[in-house]
Amino acid sequence: MTTPNARAADGLAWVLTPLLELPGVRHAVIATGDGLVEGSSPELGRASAERVAAMTATLHAAARAFTTSFTEEEAPGLQQTVVESKEGFAIVVPAGQNTSLALFAEPEAQLGNIAYQMQVQVAALARAMAAPARHPDAAATP
């Protein structure tokens, strides 16, 4: 099996590679809360990735509003949103401040394994985003 590489605007697409290697996973996108693409699977065209990112923001906002309507919690702690269709599953999980991870998997995919791996990658992304920026060694500059 070939390892798919993900493309990214900000170098965050490395988060997608382990997910894209899972059986049944077709595509994945890292999206900002306002619907911009931060990274996407290579087989997903740019226009499709942009639509997915926009819909991810919309779906996540709708899920928060939907949960608030039932619970009266103004800021419900969403853990994941799943849309099931005969074509497969769309899964969205929060991935840090103003970021979401969206994935599409085939109907026979193992959702438990995929959900677990999404959380592992979200944790890795959070650690990477929290790490301080590297600065060149002052002694190495001429």
Side-chain angles (χ1 to χ4, degrees), residues 57-142:
T58 302
L59 179 63
H60 211 57
R64 278 193 306 274
F66 190 65
T67 303
T68 296
S69 295
F70 276 116
T71 65
E72 297 185 12
E73 290 291 326
E74 287 302 314
L78 292 182
Q79 295 179 345
Q80 71 177 4
T81 303
V82 179
V83 176
E84 181 179 3
S85 69
K86 66 180 183 174
E87 288 79 18
F89 298 91
I91 305 166
V92 179
V93 297
Q97 183 95 18
N98 198 37
T99 306
S100 294
L101 176 59
L103 177 144
F104 191 83
E106 297 175 357
E108 63 277 355
Q110 298 294 318
L111 292 186
N113 188 37
I114 290 170
Y116 171 76
Q117 239 0 282
M118 288 179 85
Q119 292 304 320
V120 168
Q121 292 310 104
V122 164
L125 179 60
R127 285 191 303 274
M129 293 175 84
R134 293 184 183 183
H135 298 287
D137 186 3
T141 56

Side-chain angles (χ1 to χ4, degrees), residues 10-98:
D10 294 326
L12 298 177
W14 58 267
V15 170
L16 303 178
T17 301
L19 299 171
L20 294 169
E21 293 172 346
L22 295 172
V25 174
R26 283 193 210 164
H27 301 293
V29 172
I30 301 170
T32 65
D34 53 355
L36 301 176
V37 178
E38 290 188 342
S40 66
S41 50
E43 292 82 17
L44 191 62
R46 180 179 175 93
S48 292
E50 289 173 356
R51 281 192 304 272
V52 168
M55 290 294 99
T56 296
T58 302
L59 179 63
H60 211 57
R64 278 193 306 274
F66 190 65
T67 303
T68 296
S69 295
F70 276 116
T71 65
E72 297 185 12
E73 290 291 326
E74 287 302 314
L78 292 182
Q79 295 179 345
Q80 71 177 4
T81 303
V82 179
V83 176
E84 181 179 3
S85 69
K86 66 180 183 174
E87 288 79 18
F89 298 91
I91 305 166
V92 179
V93 297
Q97 183 95 18
N98 198 37

